Amino acid sequence: MRDLLLSGDGFSIEDVVDVAHRRARVTLGPDLAARMADARAVVTEAVLRKDIVYGVTTGFGALADTTIGAEDLARLQVGIVRSHAAAVGQPLSDEVVRALLLLRARTLAAGHSGVRVELPAMFIALLDADLLPVIPEKGSVGASGDLAQLAHLALPVIGEGRLRAPGDGPQGRPAAEVLAEHGLTPLVLEPKEGLSLINGTEPMQAVLSLAIMEAEALCKLADIACALSVEALFGTDRAYDERVQVIRPHPGQLDSAANLRQLLSQSPLLASHRHSDHAVQDSYALRCAPQVHGSSRDLIAHCRRVAAIELGSIVDNPVVVSGPDGEGFEVMSTGNFHGQPIAFSADALAMACSELGSISERRVYRLLDPATSRGLPPFLAPDAGTNSGFMLAQYTAASVVSENKVLCHPSSVDSIVTSGNQEDHVSMGWHAVRKAREVIDNTRTVLAIELLCAAQGVDLRSPVAGPGPRTSRVHRRIRADVEPMPVDREMAPQIQAVREMLDDLIAEAGELR
């Protein structure tokens, strides 16, 4: 397990994913308190002077014009956390909550929020003990960030809400009880701290970061599955020739074509029919794979660039910044919590991954249809008729591909008014990131089905020749857990088994772009 330092500087997507999956431990930077001290002093002084500062000495949202008396300032901060914890639905997954703890701590530690160091320290203490706030998944419009989710994240900081300790069920237990068991004392919030706990895009950041890493893996899997299908379908690798690819040099296309050339290199199956009549030109699902897979790669790369900026940004409101002359500090209201950049990126990510599944399903269909499979038996069943073979596997692939089309309706073009018309344009970014991860999960299923069918196709070609060195390793890994299917047997466990080995298949394929 590697160590990360919480200094207030941004984290990479890889950092977030490693923390989410318990591959990295986070410790507080030695200079963190000093970094946060100036901004905290600005807030404290504003309260002492009775300045009118949004969220510090005023109400929130549509109540921004309501001034709060000194005797009610502490109650104001607790009240906003309680009242905004209004999310519903199933709890977020452990890995998303771990990522969220890290990212919220990072924002607060950056030195612009005006809070005490005890707040990010509390989040890191929860992370270190793997005590995870129970955060329902629904209830954000991506306006002032993800208010409801962040409020549920914040409740355990003050000893309220629910926490999941290792071994607890999804709904966890009362936070006060869990904190006491682990020797942690709830915090008493001071001015601005409640507001700083709930403003921000970190839930969207967390889900998007995990989704981007998953999407990048899908790109490699799509190339691997396509290569195995090309061999099973007696296809050709001529369309992947570098001379053809460089005359349309989109980066993703070049990478995908290079992967396919490597995967199909020295393939006896391709060599066995290289000079036959049908090796002149393949269908689009094979021939245009670099163009389609590559376009997805380029779009995912854009999403990574957006996420990298977001992971180093300050998304709180209000924030403490330097004065207009570069000297001193002032508290300023901002719109940096608005989720539009993430919403656009997540919608794009969903579309990119959906297309990987869409073209994969077309290759599955070609493997099963004797009119397009170049000599394979119907539905890859040696005794078709008595056996249905992989017929229903294609139904499942078609089903989730169609579901992805619905999920790819963009969230980012929607908006709905909240907070008494104060929040009159919202991003719907939270919807977008959740949909993107669902599309990714569906696409994993489609690619697993293609790999399963292509492996059967390669088995059926074995009297002629075998696959190349790299695809042979992929084929052997599949066959280590899933036997060939000469006679019908239950399909669902086979699909699930391949889904569970997808990471192994990337490793077996060797180094890919």
Side-chain angles (χ1 to χ4, degrees), residues 338-464:
H338 198 287
Q340 200 70 44
I342 297 177
F344 279 146
S345 295
D347 280 340
L349 190 70
M351 290 188 290
C353 295
S354 179
E355 280 304 284
L356 294 176
S358 180
I359 195 171
S360 172
E361 184 276 332
R362 289 293 79 201
R363 294 191 292 262
V364 169
Y365 190 91
R366 297 191 74 80
L367 285 162
L368 304 189
D369 187 348
T372 58
S373 67
R374 292 172 174 161
L376 292 171
F379 305 106
L380 301 174
D383 188 12
T386 304
N387 293 285
S388 297
F390 291 79
M391 179 190 296
L392 265 293
Q394 186 268 332
Y395 277 46
T396 299
S399 171
V400 296
V401 164
S402 290
E403 183 177 297
N404 278 354
K405 295 173 186 176
V406 176
L407 291 170
C408 282
H409 178 83
S411 294
S412 54
V413 298
D414 190 17
S415 184
I416 193 167
V417 174
T418 56
S419 192
N421 209 32
Q422 177 78 356
E423 298 167 3
D424 53 0
H425 181 277
V426 301
S427 74
M428 294 299 180
W430 182 241
H431 295 70
V433 295
R434 288 172 49 231
K435 290 196 299 96
R437 284 201 86 186
E438 191 168 354
V439 168
I440 287 168
D441 189 65
N442 283 341
T443 302
R444 287 174 67 88
T445 295
V446 181
L447 291 171
I449 289 170
E450 182 183 1
L451 287 158
L452 186 63
C453 292
Q456 179 87 350
V458 166
D459 289 332
L460 294 168
R461 298 293 192 194
S462 59
V464 176

Side-chain angles (χ1 to χ4, degrees), residues 317-342:
N317 179 59
V319 293
V320 180
V321 295
S322 59
D325 56 359
E327 296 183 1
F329 299 92
E330 63 177 294
V331 181
M332 295 189 69
S333 184
T334 170
N336 282 348
F337 49 63
H338 198 287
Q340 200 70 44
I342 297 177

Side-chain angles (χ1 to χ4, degrees), residues 155-187:
L155 277 175
V157 169
I158 60 174
E160 301 184 14
R162 301 183 74 80
L163 281 171
R164 284 197 300 269
D168 286 344
Q171 297 300 330
R173 291 179 287 139
E177 174 185 324
V178 178
L179 291 175
E181 288 177 0
H182 289 79
L184 296 173
T185 303
L187 301 181

Side-chain angles (χ1 to χ4, degrees), residues 111-454:
H112 290 273
S113 294
V115 302
R116 295 168 296 157
V117 70
E118 284 82 356
L119 268 67
M122 183 62 147
F123 282 135
I124 298 306
L126 294 176
L127 189 58
D128 189 55
D130 205 24
L131 307 180
L132 305 180
V134 176
I135 305 172
E137 65 178 347
K138 297 182 181 180
S140 172
V141 294
S144 295
D146 302 308
L147 294 167
Q149 281 67 38
L150 286 171
H152 284 278
L153 181 80
L155 277 175
V157 169
I158 60 174
E160 301 184 14
R162 301 183 74 80
L163 281 171
R164 284 197 300 269
D168 286 344
Q171 297 300 330
R173 291 179 287 139
E177 174 185 324
V178 178
L179 291 175
E181 288 177 0
H182 289 79
L184 296 173
T185 303
L187 301 181
V188 177
L189 298 181
E190 295 186 2
K192 194 184 182 296
E193 292 183 333
L195 181 61
S196 287
L197 285 169
I198 66 164
N199 264 288
T201 62
E202 290 89 352
M204 287 179 270
Q205 293 177 25
V207 177
L208 183 65
S209 296
L210 295 170
I212 286 169
M213 289 289 281
E214 293 164 357
E216 289 171 344
L218 289 184
C219 290
K220 294 181 180 181
L221 285 166
D223 290 343
I224 294 166
C226 178
L228 204 60
S229 291
V230 168
E231 291 182 307
L233 286 166
F234 274 169
T236 176
D237 59 356
R238 285 181 59 80
Y240 314 143
D241 192 296
E242 188 172 10
R243 294 169 296 172
V244 174
Q245 297 299 320
V246 296
I247 60 177
R248 196 192 191 196
H250 291 288
Q253 177 179 328
L254 295 178
D255 286 347
S256 181
N259 284 346
L260 287 164
R261 289 195 301 271
Q262 293 173 30
L263 289 162
L264 293 169
S265 177
Q266 303 176 51
S267 170
L269 266 172
L270 261 63
S272 71
H273 62 277
R274 190 173 296 281
H275 303 294
S276 64
D277 291 340
H278 69 251
V280 176
Q281 182 170 270
D282 287 324
S283 74
Y284 287 6
L286 303 181
R287 185 176 11 137
C288 300
Q291 288 76 15
V292 177
H293 295 184
S295 296
S296 293
R297 284 171 171 266
D298 288 340
L299 204 48
I300 294 165
H302 166 73
C303 296
R304 174 177 271 275
R305 289 190 293 271
V306 172
I309 293 171
E310 194 73 8
L311 292 174
S313 298
I314 307 302
V315 291
D316 195 1
N317 179 59
V319 293
V320 180
V321 295
S322 59
D325 56 359
E327 296 183 1
F329 299 92
E330 63 177 294
V331 181
M332 295 189 69
S333 184
T334 170
N336 282 348
F337 49 63
H338 198 287
Q340 200 70 44
I342 297 177
F344 279 146
S345 295
D347 280 340
L349 190 70
M351 290 188 290
C353 295
S354 179
E355 280 304 284
L356 294 176
S358 180
I359 195 171
S360 172
E361 184 276 332
R362 289 293 79 201
R363 294 191 292 262
V364 169
Y365 190 91
R366 297 191 74 80
L367 285 162
L368 304 189
D369 187 348
T372 58
S373 67
R374 292 172 174 161
L376 292 171
F379 305 106
L380 301 174
D383 188 12
T386 304
N387 293 285
S388 297
F390 291 79
M391 179 190 296
L392 265 293
Q394 186 268 332
Y395 277 46
T396 299
S399 171
V400 296
V401 164
S402 290
E403 183 177 297
N404 278 354
K405 295 173 186 176
V406 176
L407 291 170
C408 282
H409 178 83
S411 294
S412 54
V413 298
D414 190 17
S415 184
I416 193 167
V417 174
T418 56
S419 192
N421 209 32
Q422 177 78 356
E423 298 167 3
D424 53 0
H425 181 277
V426 301
S427 74
M428 294 299 180
W430 182 241
H431 295 70
V433 295
R434 288 172 49 231
K435 290 196 299 96
R437 284 201 86 186
E438 191 168 354
V439 168
I440 287 168
D441 189 65
N442 283 341
T443 302
R444 287 174 67 88
T445 295
V446 181
L447 291 171
I449 289 170
E450 182 183 1
L451 287 158
L452 186 63
C453 292

